[in-house]
Amino acid sequence: MRPIEAATAVPIDPVPSLQPLPIDVVSVQSQVVYGRVGNNVAMPTLQAQGLIVAAVPTVILSNTPHYPTIHGGTLPTAWFEGYLRDLTARGALGRLRAILTGYLGSPEQAQALGRWIGQAIEAQPGLQVVVDPVLGDHDHGEYVSPGIADAYHRHLLPLADGLTPNGFELQRLTGLTATNPESVIAAARTLLVGRTQWVIVTSAAPAAWPANQMLVAVVTRNRQEVLNHPRIDALLKGSGDLFSAALTGTLLTGASVFKAASLACDQVTSALRLTRQAQCAELLLATSTGSSLESRT
């Protein structure tokens, strides 16, 4: 019987460790099963610009409240905090470039989000933070939970590089009457404190709109510009979410806030025209040049 020879060990290359998906933008907003608001708008808009996006929901609803039925609600604070904490724990934020915030479900979420954003800024001081302080609008008044406006002031506005309130939200945040472009600019300047470098006011001063036009005021510490863009008669939700997402993506290309705001206005106008032409109940997305991103439209 032949003796068994000792086997020579063959070195095996270790399995290389897998790298986490590098997130460019974290979008913290509402999410719906059906419809085009919040993250349902922000995700495809940012992805169309070649960005990798992580969507963190604040509320999950079947649809927006203007439909006859609705199910869902605000995410528990513990879940919401866990989503943010686990996103950091996955090691995916080493190249994070921007955080975009929209509709919040509770003041507690604002507090938790503020803590998390503060930690993200400490890790990456060059991070851009865009806060859309969703509170309501001129047509419907305030439609968020009590205490949200104060929570924005306490926890989120101090961390924002830029803010995108509409005209109603500007007045609610500042307590100032802003009924013409000059007063809108003056009110916006009161929010340019600390880290905040710019404020863009959408649907600004409705009483001063030219025929078939809307105004958007772009205000920085040393410059202001009032943009005109066509007013499209389409009773749709989500156009503000589209504006903020398109703006954020364009800012990440290195464009000035004035250029980014102008291009975002164009993208919203194109989407509204496309939606009206299709007679669709929900917002259809288009590129900044007006071509459709909806393969079946």
Side-chain angles (χ1 to χ4, degrees), residues 79-102:
W79 289 17
F80 180 71
E81 289 180 311
Y83 296 158
L84 297 173
R85 187 167 56 248
D86 288 349
L87 185 57
T88 302
R90 297 294 77 78
L93 305 183
R95 290 189 285 174
L96 184 65
R97 302 172 65 193
I99 297 172
L100 171 63
T101 80

Side-chain angles (χ1 to χ4, degrees), residues 41-42 45 238-247 264 267-268 271 283-286:
V41 168
T45 300
S239 59
D241 304 324
L242 172 58
F243 178 89
S244 295
L247 174 84
Q267 193 160 342
V268 171
L283 192 64
L284 296 177
L285 301 182

